[in-house]
Amino acid sequence: MYRIEVKKSAQKELSQISPPYNKNIVEAIDELASNPRPAGAKKLKGSEAYRIRVADYRIIYTVEDVIKVVEVQRIRHRKDAYKT
């Protein structure tokens, strides 16, 4: 079982997402605790981060297998997900 850590910036992004999507995103994040690399997760090029899709939103996160931590870094609409 992995521990989930959500950065403050990601929490803020999540709070700005409308309720029907918000609930699905929270459920997807909770599922990362038992399976940090679910079917459909993709490793991002040039980074140690992964992404999963929830409707039109992307959850960008990193996995630390040694200490069993999943850190959610960004939660954004797909058009903005990869902009820094």
Side-chain angles (χ1 to χ4, degrees), residues 60-77:
I60 313 292
Y61 64 97
T62 57
V63 179
E64 294 292 335
D65 289 311
V66 176
I67 55 175
K68 298 227 180 252
V69 173
V70 173
E71 182 183 50
V72 177
Q73 298 178 334
R74 291 192 303 260
I75 303 166
R76 295 188 182 160
H77 192 273

Side-chain angles (χ1 to χ4, degrees), residues 1-80:
M1 205 61 164
Y2 285 72
R3 189 176 77 237
I4 304 291
E5 292 181 358
V6 182
K7 290 178 75 174
K8 284 189 184 237
S9 57
Q11 289 175 346
K12 184 177 178 184
E13 292 167 350
L14 181 61
S15 70
Q16 296 171 350
I17 297 172
S18 60
Y21 296 115
N22 189 311
K23 181 176 181 269
N24 293 338
I25 291 169
V26 169
E27 288 173 3
I29 291 171
D30 289 342
E31 289 174 14
L32 290 175
S34 59
N35 184 6
R37 295 176 189 89
K42 293 203 176 185
K43 188 164 187 328
L44 300 180
K45 291 181 182 177
S47 170
E48 292 299 313
Y50 291 84
R51 72 113 169 113
I52 56 173
R53 232 175 54 155
V54 178
D56 286 339
Y57 291 89
R58 303 295 181 264
I59 301 168
I60 313 292
Y61 64 97
T62 57
V63 179
E64 294 292 335
D65 289 311
V66 176
I67 55 175
K68 298 227 180 252
V69 173
V70 173
E71 182 183 50
V72 177
Q73 298 178 334
R74 291 192 303 260
I75 303 166
R76 295 188 182 160
H77 192 273
R78 67 184 179 94
K79 69 180 170 132
D80 301 320

